[in-house]
Every structure is written in C-alpha cells, then in structure tokens.
C-alpha cells in the first residue's frame, strides 16, 4: 500500500480530533454536527491506518498484490464498464426527474401554505437542477475532447 494512504488516514484522524476539540471547547448549536463529523473522520482515519499496516505486513504482501491485480482486471472489464456507464446515466436522469418533481411538490405545498418559505426551497432546487444540467453538458464535452 502507498504511504499516501497512511498519511490520508492520519490526516483524517487529526481532522476528527480538531473537530471534536472545537465541539467540546465551544458552546454552539453546531456541536452535535461537529461531533458527528469528528466521529466519522476519526473512524475512517482509523480504518485507513489499520488497513495500511495490515496490508504492509510481510505475510499479506502477496495477497495484497493479488487483490490489486484482480481489482485492475475488474475495473477494465468491458461489460462492467458499460454497465457502470449505463447506471450512471440512469442515476443522472432519475436525479433530474426527482429534483424537478420536488420543485413542483414544494411549490404546491407553499401555495397551500403547508410550508413557510417554500420559495427559498424551490429556488435552491431550481439552482441545483440548472447546475446538474450544466455540469452534465460540461463533463460530456470534456470527455468528448479527450477521446477525439
């Protein structure tokens, strides 16, 4: 395993400790959120660090090389590559439909006065929808340039 994985794990642990310290030393409405982020970062960093040491022991080096080789084969398998592309397109289309339907629902709930300030939610969702469409076009054009 690369030393970068160990460094990343240690940085996650340090970031989690910093977030936990900030949450414990300040009195804020964000304390629970900071503690949640801290726990996530510390746990993720610990797992990364443990994996680094586990795979770098002499008895596991060969197994790690086999694992990496199998992952490379799986990653470059044509059928799986096509299925990943297709699932990504479906997820993108379903996401756009979900945001569009959510805009309509929140608009209706706002007009029926079920939700206060629904205009802000609708504007946010509208901006997110436009962002998704634009970024989809930009990424497609960049990928097209790369393969031309």
């Amino acid at each position: 395993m690369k030393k970068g994985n160990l460094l990343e794990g240690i940085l996650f642990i340090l970031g989690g400790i910093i977030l936990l310290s900030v949450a414990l030393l300040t009195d804020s409405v964000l304390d629970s959120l900071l503690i949640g982020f801290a726990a996530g970062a510390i746990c993720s960093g610990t797992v990364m660090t443990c994996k680094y040491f586990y795979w770098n022991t002499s008895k596991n080096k060969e197994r790690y090389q086999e694992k990496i080789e199998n992952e490379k084969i799986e990653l470059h398998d044509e059928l799986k590559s096509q299925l990943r592309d297709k699932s990504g397109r479906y997820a993108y289309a379903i996401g756009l439909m979900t945001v569009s339907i959510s805009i309509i629902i929140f608009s209706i709930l706002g007009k029926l006065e079920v939700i206060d300030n629904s205009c802000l939610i609708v504007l946010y969702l509208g901006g997110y929808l436009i962002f998704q469409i634009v970024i989809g076009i930009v990424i497609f054009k960049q990928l097209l340039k790369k393969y031309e």
Side-chain angles (χ1 to χ4, degrees):
M1 245 179 153
K2 300 176 192 170
K3 290 254 187 217
N5 293 13
L6 176 63
L7 181 63
E8 187 177 352
I10 292 171
L11 287 175
F12 266 76
I13 292 171
L14 289 175
I17 291 171
I18 291 169
L19 288 173
L20 185 61
S21 302
V22 169
L24 295 176
L25 296 175
T26 61
D27 189 26
S28 167
V29 294
L30 299 176
D31 285 347
S32 60
L33 188 63
L34 290 173
I35 290 172
F37 282 138
I42 291 171
C43 290
S44 298
T46 304
V47 168
M48 286 179 202
T49 305
C50 290
K51 278 185 178 181
Y52 175 81
F53 287 115
Y54 175 79
W55 287 116
N56 276 337
T57 59
S58 59
K59 66 179 182 177
N60 293 327
K61 285 223 181 225
E62 285 183 31
R63 283 185 39 223
Y64 181 69
Q65 292 302 324
E66 288 176 22
K67 179 183 172 203
I68 293 297
E69 194 172 311
N70 287 336
E71 284 178 1
K72 285 181 182 177
I73 291 170
E74 291 288 323
L75 189 63
H76 295 294
D77 183 20
E78 283 185 39
L79 174 62
K80 289 185 179 179
S81 180
Q82 288 176 353
L83 291 176
R84 272 194 305 273
D85 291 346
K86 195 172 228 178
S87 67
R89 279 196 307 271
Y90 287 150
Y92 177 72
I94 290 169
L96 291 178
M97 286 188 290
T98 303
V99 171
S100 300
I101 291 169
S102 298
I103 290 172
I104 295 168
I105 290 172
F106 281 109
S107 295
I108 292 170
L109 290 175
K111 292 296 180 188
L112 294 175
E113 297 179 358
V114 175
I115 296 178
D116 293 333
N117 297 330
S118 66
C119 183
L120 186 61
I121 296 171
V122 170
L123 287 173
Y124 175 79
L125 288 172
Y128 179 69
L129 180 65
I130 291 168
F131 171 77
Q132 283 291 98
I133 292 169
V134 168
I135 201 71
I137 292 168
V138 168
I139 290 172
F140 176 76
K141 287 184 178 184
Q142 288 297 319
L143 289 173
L144 193 60
K145 273 188 206 175
K146 182 178 176 182
Y147 289 106
E148 284 183 336

